[in-house]
Amino acid sequence: MTAALTRTRPPFPYDSLPAVPAFTLASTDLVDGERMPDRFTAVHENISPELHWSGFPAATRSFVVSCFDPDAPSPAGWWHWTVQDLDASVTCLAQGVGESDLRLDGAAFHAVNDSGTHAWSGPYPPAGDGDHRYIFAVHALDVDTLGLDDDASATTVAAQCSVHAIARALLTVTYSQPGEPGSAPFLREA
C-alpha cells in the first residue's frame, strides 16, 4: 500500500526569516511564477538554468545562490542547489554551471544538496503530487566567505546566510509530474 501524498503545503519559507532588503533576480531560462521548462529537471536533461542579478547593496562582499523546494514530502523540504562563496563581482551564473565546481568562477563551490551531490539536482517531484515550488534565492552577504568546507550541507549554508545576509533576491517557478500519487517511484527528490 502506498500512502497518499495529499497534504497541506507549507508556507513560503523566506517569510519566516529576518527581513532584509530585496534586489532583482532574473533568468533567460525561467519566468517567475511560471512552470520550469522540462530540460532543467532531473526528469529530463538536468541542466542548471541561467540566473543573473542586480541592485544588491554596495557593501556586498559575496553571494550564495540556492534552489529549494518547500513542497517536498518531507519535514525539511528539499535543497536542489547551493553555490557558496561567489565573489561580489559575479552577477550571473551561466546555464549549465551547476554541473560541477570546475564550471564556477573563483573560489565558489557547491554545497552538498539533498540528493547527495555537489552539483545542480533538478526537480523530480513524485507523480501526481501537484505543483511544487522551486525557489531560487541569491543572498548578498557581509563576508567574503562563509568559511564552510565542501562537506557542509545546503541547510548549514542556509543557516549561515541567515546570519550574514544583507539583502535577498528571489525567483519562484513550479514543476509537477502527471499521474496518480504513488504511481511512480520517489527517485531522486521531491
Side-chain angles (χ1 to χ4, degrees), residues 81 83-84 86 93 97-98 100-106 108-110:
W81 195 27
V83 178
Q84 59 188 309
L86 280 163
L93 292 176
V97 300
S100 83
D101 288 348
L102 298 175
R103 309 271 321 260
L104 298 171
D105 290 332
F109 64 101
H110 289 91

Side-chain angles (χ1 to χ4, degrees), residues 73-166:
S74 84
W78 194 274
W79 289 100
H80 289 270
W81 195 27
T82 301
V83 178
Q84 59 188 309
D85 291 356
L86 280 163
D87 189 82
S89 65
V90 176
T91 59
C92 66
L93 292 176
Q95 185 183 103
V97 300
E99 182 180 315
S100 83
D101 288 348
L102 298 175
R103 309 271 321 260
L104 298 171
D105 290 332
F109 64 101
H110 289 91
V112 66
N113 60 40
D114 285 341
S115 296
T117 64
H118 292 83
W120 164 255
S121 176
Y124 202 122
D129 195 37
D131 281 344
H132 284 219
R133 296 166 290 172
Y134 297 91
I135 305 164
F136 289 83
V138 178
H139 285 90
L141 306 180
D142 63 0
V143 292
D144 295 326
T145 177
L146 290 176
L148 301 172
D149 62 30
D150 63 358
D151 290 330
S153 70
T155 300
T156 300
V157 175
Q160 290 299 310
C161 283
S162 294
V163 174
H164 293 287
I166 58 173

Side-chain angles (χ1 to χ4, degrees), residues 46-82:
N46 199 40
I47 299 169
S48 62
E50 184 275 344
L51 299 171
H52 56 275
W53 51 93
S54 61
F56 47 88
T60 300
R61 294 175 58 190
S62 67
F63 296 106
V64 167
V65 175
S66 62
C67 179
F68 180 68
D69 173 6
D71 302 314
S74 84
W78 194 274
W79 289 100
H80 289 270
W81 195 27
T82 301

